[in-house]
Amino acid sequence: MTRGARLAEWVALYALSVVVALALASVIVEATGGDWWPVVEALVDGSIMAPGRWGGTLGIAAPLLLVALGTVISSKAGLINIGQEGQLLIGAAVAVYFSFRIGGPGPLNVVVLLLFGALGGAAWASISGLLRYWRGVPEVLSTLLLVFVALQAVGYGLKWQWLLLADEASRGNRNLVSEQLAKDNRIPRPDIFGNEFPITVYVALALALAVAYVLARTVWGFRLRMLGHNPRAAQRAGVSSTVYGASALAIGGAFAGLAGAAMFAGGGFSFGTYRLVPGFSDNIGWTGLLVALLARERALPAVVAAFVFAGLRNGAGFVNSTGVESRITDVVQGLLVLALLVPPAVVFLRDRRRARAAATERV
Amino acid sequence: MLIDFFSAVGDVLSSESTYINGALFAALLAFAATGEWVAERSGTLNISVEGMLLSGAFAGILGYHLSESIVVGLVFGAIGGLLIAAVQAEMSHRLTADQFVVGLTLNILVFGLVGFLDREIEPQALRASTVEIPVLVDIPLFGQALFGEPWPFYLLYGLVPLSWWLVYRTRWGLELRAAGENPQSADVSGIDVNRRRRQSIYYAGFTSGLGGAYFLFARIAAFDDSVIGGQGFIAIAAVIFGGWTLWGTMAGCVLFAGALSFQLSLQGLGYELNTELLQALPYLVTIGAMAIFAKRVRPPAALARPFIRGLK
C-alpha cells in the first residue's frame, strides 16, 4: 500500500469511529427526549467559538498536558503509573504548604511554589518506586491505591491549621479551605485577543518539546526506552533498572505535582479561587493519564489530545443552557476515547494477519 | 472521657446493628471482589469494576421501575454489569486496546451515563424483603447479620463457592490460571489466552452487576450516582490484600466493611474518629500487606500485562 493510501485509510478510520461515537451519544440524548444538535453547538461554542473561551480551554489543557508528559516518561521505561490523580493533589498540597510558609516576593514565590509542587508529586510517586524496587510490589497496584490515600491525606490536612487550613480571619465560616494565594504570587494571565490564560501554557508546550527531544535524541532517553523494550537486554548493557525505573517514576510524579501547583497558582476554570479545597484535583490526573495513553505514549500527539479533552471539559459549561443534563459531556468524552482506540487496534490486527498470511505463503 | 470512649466502642461492638451494617457493605464488596478475583487470576487488572457496580445498581433500579419485581431488577443488574464487561473485554482483549484506558474511560462513562439517565428517568424502587433463616438467625451478634438479611444477600452463599469451584476445580479454571501466570506457555498448549481473559471479565461483570443491584435493593432503594462511591476500588484492594486467594479476598471484604461500619456506628453515638484515616485504611492496609508479604505472596505473574502472540 502506498503512503498516501495508508494515510487516507487512517483518516477515514478515525473519522468513521468519531462519527459512530457521536451518533451513539446523539441516540442517547434523543431517546431521552432531548435535542442533540444544540448540545453540539453548545460544546463548540463553550470550548472555542464563544468570546474568551479558547483561553479557558488552554488553561485546562496545560495541566492535562503536564500530567500526560510525566506519564509518557514513566511508560517509556515500561512502568505503569496510574496514580497521577494522587500525585497531582499531593503536589498541590505540598506547594501550598511551603509557599505560605516561605513567602518571598511575587515571582520568586511562584517559582518556589512550582518547585515544591514538583517535589511533592515526585516524593509521592517515589513511594511506589521504593515499594517496587525494594519490596517488589507492582507499581501499577501501589500507584492506584495511593491515589485514595492522597485524597484522604489532603482532606485531613485541610482540617488542621498547622497543616493546610486557613486561619479563621481568612476562611470566614468556611471549613476545609486553604489560605488564598496573594495576588502578586499568582501566575500571570496575560490577555490575548480577549482570551486570558496562565503562562504555564507556554511552559507546558516547551516541556512537551523537551520531553520529545530527550526521549528521542539523548543517551538518557535511549536507555530509558531500552529499559522499557527489553529490561534484560538493558540490564546487560549497563542500564540499572532500579536507578532508571525509580527516576522515571519520580519524574512522572514530578510532572503531575507540577501540574497541581500550576493549577493552584494559575487560576481559571473550576480551580479559579486560588484556594486548595477537597476534590481540588477534579479528575485532571485521571484525564491526563487518558491523554497520555490515547496519544500512545508520545509527547507531541499528547498536545493535541490534551486540547481536545480540555475543550470537552470547558464546553460542558455551556451544555446546561440547552436543557440537556450537562453530564452528557462525560458520556461524549467516554465514547470518544473508546472510539479513538479502535482504528489503531484494527490496523494493527489486520497488518499482523497479513504478515502472517504472507509468511505462510512463503513456506 | 477515655472511659466513655471505650464504653462507646464496647456498645458499638456489642450492638447487632454494627454487624448488620457491616454485612451490608461486606456483601457489596464480596459480590464485586469475587468476580474481580477471577478476572485478576486470568491476568487482567479490571479497574472498570467500579463502573460495573454502578451500572448494575442503575440497571437494577431501572428493571424494578419497569416491572415492579426485584427478581427482574437483579437480572437487569447482572445485564448492566455484563454490558460494561463486554466493552472492557472486547476492547482490551480482542482489539488489544490498553486495559487501563478502557477501564478508566468506562468508569467515567458509566458515571456520566447513569447520572444523565437518572435525571431523565427518575426510577423508583422498594427494598427487598428480609428472609430469616430459622435457628441460625438467633445466634447472638452475628445471627441477624448473616442469616436475617434481604434475600438477594443469600446469592453470595452460592456465588462465592461457585467462583472457588470454577477456578480451582474445573479445566476452565486451570486454563484461566495458566493464562494469568504464563500466557506464553498457555498459548503453546493450545489455550486461547485472550478468550479466557474475556470470559473472566464477563464473570466479573456478572457478579459486580448483581452486587450493585443487591446493594440498591438491600439498602436505600433510591438511586444516586454516588451510591457506589469508590467501593469498586476497595474491592480491588481486597483482592490484592487477600494475596489473590479467594478466602483472603473475602477476609479483606469483611475487614474493610467492618472498619467502615464501626466508624459509622461510632459517629452515630457522637464520637468523631479520624475519618480520613479510616477511609484510607483499606488502601493503607493493602499497601502495607503487599510490602510485608511481597516476597511470599506473588500476584499472577502476567497480571496487567497484555498478551499478544509473538510480542512480549
Side-chain angles (χ1 to χ4, degrees):
Chain A
M1 221 187 318
T2 64
R3 200 159 244 247
R6 243 193 122 82
L7 185 69
E9 188 198 45
W10 273 108
V11 173
L13 269 174
Y14 271 112
L16 183 69
S17 322
V18 169
V19 167
V20 170
L22 293 178
L24 268 176
S26 77
V27 167
I28 293 170
V29 172
E30 299 278 345
T32 49
D35 271 330
W36 170 243
W37 196 241
V39 174
V40 175
E41 281 181 337
L43 273 177
V44 175
D45 275 352
S47 55
I48 39 179
M49 296 304 278
R53 293 305 285 187
W54 58 261
T57 301
L58 283 178
I60 303 169
L64 287 180
L65 180 58
L66 287 173
V67 171
L69 291 175
T71 314
V72 167
I73 291 177
S74 47
S75 317
K76 282 285 188 226
L79 296 162
I80 313 173
N81 173 7
I82 55 175
Q84 290 82 356
E85 182 84 1
Q87 291 149 16
L88 183 150
L89 192 59
I90 292 291
V94 169
V96 168
Y97 181 84
F98 283 101
S99 87
F100 287 122
R101 267 161 193 74
I102 293 177
L108 185 69
N109 192 261
V110 172
V111 174
V112 166
L113 192 116
L114 293 177
L115 203 66
F116 275 104
L119 279 178
W124 198 251
S126 293
I127 301 177
S128 298
L130 187 72
L131 288 171
R132 167 86 164 77
Y133 293 104
W134 176 50
R135 303 298 304 166
V137 176
E139 76 285 355
V140 54
L141 303 176
S142 62
T143 49
L144 174 69
L145 296 174
L146 281 169
V147 171
F148 305 102
V149 179
L151 293 174
Q152 299 302 330
V154 171
Y156 180 77
L158 283 169
K159 275 190 175 171
W160 301 95
Q161 247 176 56
W162 58 274
L163 284 169
L164 297 168
L165 182 65
D167 57 30
E168 260 171 73
S170 151
R171 72 170 192 266
N173 54 4
R174 279 174 298 178
N175 276 321
L176 305 176
V177 290
S178 79
E179 209 76 54
Q180 192 173 33
L181 194 63
K183 282 229 165 56
D184 63 334
N185 284 348
R186 296 174 186 173
I187 295 173
R189 298 168 60 86
D191 189 305
I192 298 167
F193 307 125
N195 284 272
E196 58 167 45
F197 52 85
I199 56 170
T200 31
V201 173
Y202 302 113
V203 177
L205 278 175
L207 281 171
L209 290 173
V211 167
Y213 176 80
V214 166
L215 286 175
R217 289 277 179 276
T218 65
V219 174
W220 188 83
F222 176 74
R223 295 182 139 211
L224 203 67
R225 284 185 289 134
M226 183 151 76
L227 181 65
H229 281 303
N230 190 336
R232 207 175 288 176
Q235 196 85 32
R236 292 281 155 80
V239 179
S240 155
S241 68
T242 309
V243 171
Y244 276 78
S247 49
L249 262 182
I251 293 171
F255 270 94
L258 181 66
M263 274 161 72
F264 175 73
F269 194 53
S270 60
F271 24 88
T273 56
Y274 299 97
R275 283 176 191 275
L276 192 69
V277 291
F280 169 83
S281 50
D282 203 14
N283 286 337
I284 293 284
W286 295 120
T287 317
L289 167 62
L290 279 184
V291 166
L293 295 174
L294 207 60
R296 318 205 90 204
E297 291 144 16
R298 284 164 306 171
L300 297 179
V303 176
V304 182
F307 188 78
V308 172
F309 276 80
L312 275 170
R313 274 186 86 117
N314 203 24
F318 271 37
V319 171
N320 256 340
S321 63
T322 62
V324 177
E325 209 3 77
S326 70
R327 298 288 289 280
I328 192 70
T329 50
D330 281 347
V331 180
V332 174
Q333 185 179 323
L335 289 172
L336 271 182
V337 177
L338 292 180
L340 293 177
L341 291 173
V342 175
V346 168
V347 170
F348 170 76
L349 288 177
R350 195 202 49 200
D351 284 356
R352 271 175 62 86
R353 206 164 41 236
R354 284 212 184 126
R356 223 132 134 228
T360 17
E361 262 169 41
R362 274 202 296 277
V363 172
Chain B
M1 180 62 209
L2 201 61
I3 292 171
D4 278 356
F5 176 74
F6 278 117
S7 80
V9 170
D11 283 350
V12 164
L13 288 181
S14 61
S15 95
E16 278 197 326
S17 71
T18 309
Y19 296 96
I20 293 173
N21 258 327
L24 178 78
F25 288 113
L28 172 69
L29 290 178
F31 270 112
T34 180
E36 179 67 20
W37 170 72
V38 175
E40 291 199 14
R41 286 307 292 252
S42 81
T44 173
L45 185 60
N46 173 35
I47 60 173
S48 57
V49 62
E50 174 82 9
M52 290 171 174
L53 281 172
L54 195 56
S55 166
F58 183 76
I61 198 166
L62 191 67
Y64 186 88
H65 185 72
L66 297 174
S67 67
E68 311 243 313
S69 143
I70 286 179
V71 177
V72 175
L74 287 172
V75 172
F76 264 65
I79 295 173
L82 280 169
L83 281 178
I84 306 306
V87 181
Q88 172 82 47
E90 302 300 322
M91 297 260 333
S92 58
H93 296 291
R94 193 188 290 275
L95 277 180
T96 67
D98 186 289
Q99 56 189 312
F100 298 109
V101 188
V102 178
L104 284 173
T105 310
L106 279 174
N107 287 341
I108 298 170
L109 181 66
V110 172
F111 187 67
L113 190 62
V114 299
F116 175 76
L117 291 176
D118 181 43
R119 299 270 173 86
E120 301 283 344
I121 302 173
E122 299 187 336
Q124 307 289 331
L126 277 181
R127 283 184 60 156
S129 54
T130 46
V131 173
E132 299 191 338
I133 294 175
V135 185
L136 289 174
V137 76
D138 296 326
I139 300 172
L141 287 185
F142 299 103
Q144 197 72 32
L146 292 178
F147 302 106
E149 286 285 331
W151 67 265
F153 179 89
Y154 300 111
L155 292 174
L156 265 185
Y157 291 134
L159 209 52
V160 175
L162 174 72
S163 306
W164 179 86
W165 182 76
L166 279 175
V167 169
Y168 288 119
R169 285 291 178 272
T170 65
R171 182 181 178 87
W172 182 78
L174 182 67
E175 296 186 355
L176 186 130
R177 282 179 286 142
E181 294 294 345
N182 193 336
Q184 280 77 17
S185 310
D187 186 52
V188 170
S189 41
I191 298 167
D192 189 337
V193 170
N194 280 318
R195 186 172 173 172
R196 289 289 165 277
R197 290 186 175 173
R198 286 198 297 272
Q199 289 165 339
S200 73
I201 293 175
Y202 278 109
Y203 187 75
F206 170 73
T207 64
S208 308
L210 264 184
Y214 148 79
F215 193 60
L216 213 70
F217 292 126
R219 189 175 181 220
I220 42 171
F223 185 80
D224 120 47
D225 58 19
S226 63
V227 64
I228 302 300
Q231 300 280 323
F233 290 110
I234 299 188
I236 297 178
V239 175
I240 303 167
F241 171 82
W244 292 272
T245 64
L246 185 57
W247 304 124
T249 301
M250 291 302 124
C253 293
V254 171
L255 177 71
F256 299 156
L260 183 64
S261 158
F262 178 70
Q263 173 208 342
L264 289 177
S265 300
L266 263 185
Q267 261 173 13
L269 290 178
Y271 287 91
E272 194 66 32
L273 281 190
N274 184 338
T275 42
E276 284 82 14
L277 183 63
L278 275 167
Q279 301 253 323
L281 191 73
Y283 308 108
L284 286 173
V285 169
T286 304
I287 294 171
M290 272 198 298
I292 295 166
F293 299 115
K295 300 271 147 121
R296 214 144 45 86
V297 181
R298 284 242 148 259
L303 183 64
R305 304 278 167 197
F307 175 73
I308 303 167
R309 190 181 285 162
L311 287 176
K312 277 193 249 189

